[in-house]
């Protein structure tokens, strides 16, 4: 290392100064730390930015879509007021007006003798099997137990099961 040092340079150089042609380890380490910190801060920012959408995901579809649009507007326009409005909208529960109105319309159609049109939102999707709820399983098992007890009772009496 002493052969490549300029004659006017001091003889005791700090360890972060590299000789010509050698790899600058400090620059590589700082570059890796910089890239990692940019990725971590960006990930935190996007996680924080999607907070209203994740909060509104459990609510109604319309409310979720409005919050998502406000989040996109805040992201692309850098206007933070859209994000704050989306956060407040995600925090409140909007009342469900569509279900009672849909039921009223169905009842009026039934009273008028008009066949109700099938609702696209409530139409069963035959491509995806419906997951059984626990209450459905309990009801089904109770019905099966009741049928078994009736059959056993009829067999003991010599009823319809014995021919």
């Amino acid at each position: 290392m002493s052969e490549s040092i300029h004659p006017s340079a001091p003889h005791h150089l700090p360890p972060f100064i590299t000789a010509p042609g050698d790899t600058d380890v400090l620059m590589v380490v700082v570059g890796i730390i910089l890239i990692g910190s940019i990725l971590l801060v960006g990930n935190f920012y996007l996680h924080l930015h999607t907070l209203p959408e994740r909060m509104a995901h459990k609510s109604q579809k319309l409310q979720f879509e409005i919050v998502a649009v406000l989040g996109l507007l805040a992201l692309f326009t850098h206007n933070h007021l859209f994000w704050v409005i989306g956060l407040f909208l995600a925090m409140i529960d909007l009342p469900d007006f569509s279900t009672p109105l849909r039921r009223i319309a169905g009842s009026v159609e039934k009273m008028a003798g008009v066949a109700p049109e099938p609702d696209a939102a409530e139409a069963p999707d035959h491509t995806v099997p419906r997951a059984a709820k626990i209450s459905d399983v309990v009801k089904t098992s109770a019905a099966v137990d009741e049928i078994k007890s009736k059959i056993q009772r009829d067999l003991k009496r010599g009823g319809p099961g014995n021919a």
Side-chain angles (χ1 to χ4, degrees):
M1 183 172 169
S2 62
E3 297 171 4
S4 63
I5 295 179
H6 194 273
S8 63
H11 294 290
H12 300 289
L13 294 175
F16 59 83
I17 295 179
T18 59
D22 287 348
T23 302
D24 191 358
V25 178
L26 182 64
M27 186 183 75
V28 171
V29 169
V30 168
I32 291 172
I33 290 172
L34 179 69
I35 290 172
S37 63
I38 288 172
L39 289 175
L40 284 175
V41 168
N43 192 11
F44 173 73
Y45 174 74
L46 288 176
H47 186 75
L48 183 66
H49 181 76
T50 60
L51 178 68
E53 291 178 42
R54 287 183 282 121
M55 288 173 61
H57 186 69
K58 297 173 229 142
S59 65
Q60 300 172 9
K61 183 181 178 203
L62 178 66
Q63 183 178 4
F64 173 70
E65 289 176 357
I66 292 171
V67 170
V69 168
L70 286 171
L72 284 175
L73 284 173
L75 182 66
F76 291 126
T77 62
H78 300 288
N79 189 350
H80 303 298
L81 183 63
F82 290 130
W83 187 84
V84 172
I85 292 171
L87 182 65
F88 285 144
L89 184 60
M91 284 185 189
I92 61 172
D93 288 330
L94 296 178
D96 184 19
F97 292 117
S98 62
T99 302
L101 292 175
R102 195 176 305 126
R103 292 181 68 191
I104 290 170
S107 298
V108 170
E109 286 176 346
K110 192 184 293 184
M111 287 173 30
V114 177
E117 296 180 11
D119 190 10
E122 295 179 2
D125 188 11
H126 298 292
T127 59
V128 179
R130 183 179 71 92
K133 296 179 186 173
I134 293 177
S135 61
D136 293 343
V137 173
V138 170
K139 289 177 185 176
T140 305
S141 64
V144 168
D145 291 340
E146 184 179 345
I147 292 172
K148 282 182 182 178
S149 65
K150 285 182 180 179
I151 291 173
Q152 289 174 355
R153 189 176 54 230
D154 287 343
L155 287 174
K156 286 180 184 176
R157 280 195 235 157
N162 295 335

